[in-house]
Amino acid sequence: MALLHSVLSPVLSWTCLCSLMYIFSTGLVAAVAVLTVRRVWYSHRLSCFSKPPANSWLLGHLGQIQGREEGFQLLDDLVQTYKHSCYWVLGPFYHLVRLFHPDYIKPLFMAPASMTVKNGLIYNHLQPWLGRSVLISNGEVWSRKRRLLTPAFHFDILKSYVTIFNSSSKIMHDKWCRLVAEGKTNLEMFDHVSLMTLDSLLKCAFSYDSNCQESPSEYVSAIVQLCDLVGQRQHNMLHHWDWIYWKTQQGKLFKQTLNVVHRFSRDVVQKRRAILKAQCGVAPTSQRRKDFVDILLLTRDEDGQGLTDEEIQAEANTFMFAGETLQGRRFGV
Ligand SMILES: *[C@@H]1O[C@H](CO)[C@@H](O)[C@H](O)[C@H]1NC(C)=O
């Protein structure tokens, strides 16, 4: 006990406590000062944009990002009020300009990719899932991938997908007829439409019939879950730091779910490459329609270089992610 006391007493001595408090408060004052200067500087630079009322000085508009219906309602109100654009402050660190009017968005879309560098706030959290895909990459990496992907979105290729869309929507429609016949008088359509989209995408991208509209599919549930988790992560400032996030319950769930998704796309790509190799690089014509993965496996740049398995998996994962989020509900953007 005496030993413990003699060890602790200098630590707890007044001078020591005072200097600790001094260091702590100086640090706090410096951090607040830096944040304030930064905030003032950004406000000045962005003063040409209107700023909607915020919840608090520190958190700004952070709580106002919402998915699903409330998000759309809020977005609608913003567009009604601010017409072309406004700017948001997200927590102490981020400033976000939101553009609504096509005239304001057009110059951004027309600008060279080297100028419109993608921001980490939205894309960083997708990196573990989507890898270095065309959605996330910038500069030279982006432009090579963009060129190699172009054939996959040729109009003639897209046209052949109409039959798939048709059959997937027929499954959904039949399901609705069945539910109505069973006496259902109203129906929340969103999840049905979402499943139908993923069903179509799996058929178009991987020629994979998941039957996810009729019975639960592990892969499809995993995609929906990952989208939810990325959305949740964006709303929680502390989870923006990797070293915190991977220790949280959500971070661990994210990793587990990610394994399911990655295993699936890796299997598809590797099996397909083996089949193509067996056919000496000739795309299947008669047995099966050329799907997204086939096209990516066969595409070559000017030097005859194709995409690696990892690169193709990244694009395939992105394709599925886009199918789930382009419906807009997940991120409320
Ligand atoms: C879609 O499927 C229905 C039958 O379910 C068929 O009558 C129709 O012609 C199809 N449309 C297209 C564009 O394939």
Side-chain angles (χ1 to χ4, degrees):
M1 198 62 210
L3 181 71
L4 189 67
H5 187 255
S6 67
V7 170
L8 278 183
S9 60
V11 177
L12 294 176
S13 74
W14 262 111
T15 32
C16 201
L17 202 63
C18 284
S19 37
L20 271 181
M21 276 175 65
Y22 175 74
I23 293 170
F24 179 73
S25 49
T26 320
L28 198 67
V29 168
V32 170
V34 167
L35 281 182
T36 311
V37 168
R38 198 170 171 273
R39 179 68 66 82
V40 169
W41 184 76
Y42 268 106
S43 304
H44 174 69
R45 298 253 343 235
L46 296 173
S47 56
C48 49
F49 295 99
S50 316
K51 184 176 157 202
N55 293 343
S56 76
W57 183 85
L58 189 67
L59 299 179
H61 303 86
L62 194 64
Q64 297 181 22
I65 301 183
Q66 280 161 7
R68 305 214 171 203
E69 200 162 337
E70 310 83 48
F72 282 121
Q73 215 83 58
L74 183 72
L75 189 59
D76 201 36
D77 293 346
L78 277 181
V79 176
Q80 294 293 334
T81 316
Y82 299 97
K83 308 284 185 243
H84 43 76
S85 61
C86 70
Y87 97 85
W88 268 14
V89 180
L90 296 182
F93 307 113
Y94 299 114
H95 295 76
L96 188 75
V97 175
R98 309 195 64 168
L99 302 178
F100 311 128
H101 196 281
D103 289 348
Y104 281 66
I105 298 169
K106 189 176 163 188
L108 209 65
F109 280 167
M110 306 293 279
S114 56
M115 274 177 66
T116 49
V117 176
K118 291 159 192 170
N119 183 280
L121 171 62
I122 295 183
Y123 293 99
N124 276 358
H125 304 156
L126 294 171
Q127 169 103 36
W129 178 4
L130 307 182
R132 285 158 61 82
S133 81
V134 73
L135 180 72
I136 294 179
S137 48
N138 282 300
E140 262 311 300
V141 177
W142 173 83
S143 77
R144 173 170 183 268
K145 291 189 181 199
R146 182 71 184 75
R147 274 200 313 278
L148 284 168
L149 278 176
T150 306
F153 295 97
H154 189 279
F155 199 61
D156 286 337
I157 303 260
L158 299 182
K159 260 198 267 182
S160 71
Y161 293 154
V162 172
T163 334
I164 294 179
F165 300 156
N166 196 17
S167 74
S168 297
S169 26
K170 185 166 185 317
I171 296 173
M172 181 176 70
H173 188 245
D174 289 348
K175 196 162 70 172
W176 288 353
C177 290
R178 212 165 54 228
L179 288 169
V180 169
E182 285 164 6
K184 245 200 173 335
T185 49
N186 61 55
L187 191 81
E188 170 56 53
M189 292 162 66
F190 222 116
D191 289 334
H192 292 256
V193 175
S194 174
L195 276 181
M196 185 268 290
T197 315
L198 288 171
D199 191 16
S200 300
L201 280 175
L202 278 168
K203 288 172 183 162
C204 297
F206 305 126
S207 305
Y208 176 71
D209 193 353
S210 63
N211 195 30
C212 67
Q213 297 197 73
E214 298 291 357
S215 62
S217 146
E218 190 194 23
Y219 174 73
V220 167
S221 313
I223 290 195
V224 173
Q225 178 146 56
L226 284 184
C227 282
D228 280 342
L229 286 169
V230 171
Q232 284 170 22
R233 186 175 178 187
Q234 264 169 358
H235 297 181
N236 189 335
M237 274 289 140
L238 290 177
H239 288 187
H240 283 210
W241 285 290
D242 275 349
W243 54 274
I244 293 184
Y245 187 65
W246 298 127
K247 289 188 181 67
T248 64
Q249 200 95 45
Q250 290 99 315
K252 286 176 185 155
L253 184 61
F254 188 91
K255 278 212 165 131
Q256 270 169 24
T257 317
L258 200 56
N259 278 339
V260 175
V261 170
H262 280 173
R263 194 177 344 114
F264 180 87
S265 47
R266 193 173 50 237
D267 279 359
V268 171
V269 173
Q270 285 175 356
K271 276 188 194 138
R272 201 65 66 75
R273 188 175 304 270
I275 293 174
L276 281 183
K277 219 177 223 157
Q279 293 169 332
C280 305
V282 183
T285 42
S286 50
Q287 327 89 299
R288 193 165 51 74
R289 119 190 33 244
K290 242 207 278 183
D291 64 22
F292 188 67
V293 172
D294 290 320
I295 295 166
L296 297 192
L297 279 164
L298 293 170
T299 189
R300 294 284 177 270
D301 64 14
E302 312 79 61
D303 306 325
Q305 289 288 313
L307 293 163
T308 64
D309 281 5
E310 288 72 33
E311 287 175 321
I312 295 174
Q313 283 160 36
E315 300 312 333
N317 288 328
T318 303
F319 195 72
M320 296 306 298
F321 159 76
E324 178 59 7
T325 49
L326 279 185
Q327 301 171 75
R329 63 170 173 158
R330 299 285 165 187
F331 293 90
V333 284

